[in-house]
Amino acid sequence: MSEFEGLSDQFILRMHEFIRQEVQADALAGTRFVGLPAKRRAEALFREIERRGLICTPIHWGQHL
């Protein structure tokens, strides 16, 4: 059973987008609030997005982690 089973496509995409925006905000502010657990979660979300055949804006982690 997938951890994302029962969640809508829109919800999966919103979760990924939220993390992407937080990473972007960290980069702009020169801070680092988003850590490794969020990166792992984003990677799992991205795999699920690909599995479902959806499209999202990738997260550019840069030197963040």
Side-chain angles (χ1 to χ4, degrees), residues 25-43:
D26 275 3
L28 291 172
T31 60
R32 188 171 150 197
F33 292 114
V34 178
L36 191 55
K39 184 174 184 180
R40 289 182 180 142
R41 183 67 167 170
E43 289 169 348

Side-chain angles (χ1 to χ4, degrees), residues 19-28 34 59-61 64:
I19 296 171
R20 190 190 70 75
Q21 289 176 357
E22 290 299 309
V23 170
Q24 185 178 27
D26 275 3
L28 291 172
V34 178
I59 298 173
H60 299 288
W61 294 91
H64 189 72

Side-chain angles (χ1 to χ4, degrees), residues 37-62:
K39 184 174 184 180
R40 289 182 180 142
R41 183 67 167 170
E43 289 169 348
L45 287 163
F46 187 75
R47 285 190 300 273
E48 181 65 14
I49 288 167
E50 284 189 319
R51 187 189 75 74
R52 292 183 184 202
L54 305 171
I55 298 171
C56 68
T57 303
I59 298 173
H60 299 288
W61 294 91

